[in-house]
Structures are given as C-alpha cells and as structure tokens.
Amino acid sequence: MSTKPTNTDPSYQYGFLPALPADQSKTPPATNSPQPLTPAQLPLPSTPLADRINAYAKSKLPSQTYTHSLRVYTYGRAIADQCFPSWNLTSNSKLDETWFITALLHDIGTTPEHIGSTKLSYEFWAGFHALDILQNVSATGGDNMDASEGKGGVASREQAESIAEAIIRHQDVQDKGEISLLTRLIHLGTLLDNVGAGKNLVHQDTVRAVCETYGRRGWSGCFRDTVGKEKELKPWAMVSRIEGFEDAIEEHGKGAVKEWDQ
C-alpha cells in the first residue's frame, strides 16, 4: 500500500508515485464537467533547469513538434487541475517542473537529426538522452563547472530517472500492470493532442485556447509521417504495436481539430 506523499519524498516530488493502474478506466476523474481554462492560467514553469531544457528543446525540435510539446504540457496541467486534484500538480512545484520537462523531451528522438541515427525506438533513445542532458549541463552547451546538483539547471538523479521512465513508456498504452504518475500524464496529454482520446477530461474551450496559443499548423500530418518514417526505418519499433495509429492521427486532424490543423 502506498504511503502518503510528503513535501520531501522524491518519489512523489518527481512523479514516480502514486503508482496508478495502467488501465485508465480504473482511475475515475473527480468531475465529468471540467470548466474552461486558458494557457495563461497554466503558465509554463521558469526555473534554471526548466529554462535550460526549454531552450534546448526549442533549438532541436521542429516548430510543430515544439508546440505539440507545449500543448501536451498544458493539457496535462488542465486535466490534473480539475479531474485529478489529488495529484497535486500545481504551479511552482517540483512536480510541475518535472512534468514540463517530460513534455518538452518526450519526442526529442523523432527529430530528423536523431530518428535515423539510432536503431533504438525513438522513445527509448529519447529517455536515455534525457538522462544525459538533465544531469550534464555541457550536453546542452552549458558549463558543468558552474553547476551543482539541484542548482544551475541540473536535475537530481531521481528527477532525471522519473522523466526518462515516462518518456520511454509514453507510447506503452495498455491495461495491464501499473505506471508512474508522470507516465499517466504523458499518456493523457499526448493521446488527447494526437488522436483526441480523453476529450471528456477537458472543456472544448480549453482545447480551443490551447490550439490558438500553441498552434497545430499541420501537426497531424507531421506526426503521421513521423510514425511512418519510424516504422520504415525500424520495423521492430515500439510504435508498431499501436494498430491503426496513423489512421487515427489523420482522422483527428480532419475532425475535432481541423480548424487549427491547417
């Protein structure tokens, strides 16, 4: 049985705990009538670590993937705020910083620079890459001599490992076993943005505000092509287990988010 969270327990601070059923239906939301929220009410974290990784992600990710990452973060915040308040995902918390960085880096393995440079599935490569850059300032162009753990934009080992865990498992959507809180957040955010799953957990006006702030600009076609390229380069890739994924991505782009996906 899980122990109660504390302000100093890194397993809760960084989103390993609470461990949740992989089957989302076993974690019912606190409300089925979420109210509208705007990105201004859910501001992006700004800490030395968040700022360093944000700048790195913005420089490495194609613009469509970068804004997708910001939508994923904001959807996760909105869903947690209204539907799962017991998760304590609040502004200026370590969990908020950790979630933001997870959203920023979850697709770092899909860039043109990286997707063909490894035989690893892009989620796995991204998780290992995150472990490195989160604990090594020089990996993103900084100076390790000016950084110490927890300061100067360096993640603790526990924080880096929680982020890596969620990135590696961000397309491991199934109904067996358990997952970390951070993994649940990345499932909720990515599935909502990519295929419209979980739309009952956010108000439609929230979707509108998020898409208008962090524009889609053809994201559905972009991501569909990325999935196809990954499967072509690596027929064994993790994403190959998601049947009909490209069709679901395309259908979502032509449906609920069509006005922002042009």
Side-chain angles (χ1 to χ4, degrees), residues 41-257:
Q41 294 172 279
L42 304 166
L44 306 179
S46 181
T47 64
L49 177 59
D51 291 347
R52 175 170 72 87
I53 299 303
N54 191 12
Y56 175 77
K58 192 171 185 179
S59 72
K60 293 293 184 179
L61 295 172
S63 61
Q64 290 166 308
T65 310
Y66 177 69
T67 52
H68 160 68
S69 301
L70 299 184
R71 293 193 302 275
V72 166
Y73 164 77
T74 309
Y75 287 143
R77 278 294 315 275
I79 291 169
D81 183 77
Q82 297 196 5
C83 296
F84 303 101
S86 65
W87 293 350
N88 296 313
L89 180 55
T90 56
S91 293
N92 302 315
S93 65
K94 274 293 183 183
L95 182 57
D96 187 31
E97 177 191 66
T98 306
W99 166 230
F100 181 49
I101 293 167
T102 303
L104 287 173
L105 295 178
H106 80 279
D107 272 344
I108 195 69
T110 68
T111 68
E113 175 186 358
H114 297 141
I115 194 169
S117 69
T118 176
K119 299 296 185 184
L120 289 170
S121 296
Y122 57 60
E123 308 95 325
F124 299 157
W125 185 90
F128 300 145
H129 185 61
L131 272 177
D132 179 25
I133 67 172
L134 286 168
Q135 298 175 94
N136 180 5
V137 173
S138 65
T140 56
D143 186 351
N144 279 328
M145 295 297 291
D146 296 330
S148 60
E149 187 172 296
K151 298 178 182 179
V154 180
S156 68
R157 178 179 60 81
E158 291 90 344
Q159 185 177 27
E161 288 179 346
S162 182
I163 292 166
E165 167 91 7
I167 291 172
I168 289 169
R169 297 191 67 182
H170 87 262
Q171 291 189 151
D172 180 24
V173 181
Q174 55 170 307
D175 60 3
K176 301 293 190 298
E178 297 197 337
I179 57 176
S180 72
L181 169 59
L182 208 61
T183 303
R184 170 55 45 75
L185 284 168
I186 199 68
H187 286 176
L188 290 170
T190 56
L191 287 171
L192 177 58
D193 198 51
N194 289 331
V195 298
K199 60 184 178 182
N200 60 302
L201 300 175
V202 293
H203 195 283
Q204 182 60 25
D205 287 349
T206 301
V207 174
R208 175 179 296 278
V210 170
C211 289
E212 288 178 350
T213 302
Y214 306 125
R216 292 184 65 89
R217 297 191 300 275
W219 168 246
S220 295
C222 172
F223 187 51
R224 178 202 60 211
D225 292 347
T226 297
V227 171
K229 184 174 184 179
E230 171 82 345
K231 290 165 67 174
E232 179 183 356
L233 290 170
K234 310 162 199 170
W236 56 84
M238 176 73 171
V239 73
S240 66
R241 68 185 293 274
I242 308 176
E243 296 181 358
F245 196 24
E246 290 118 305
D247 291 341
I249 295 165
E250 185 172 8
E251 183 179 347
H252 182 54
K254 292 179 178 178
V257 295

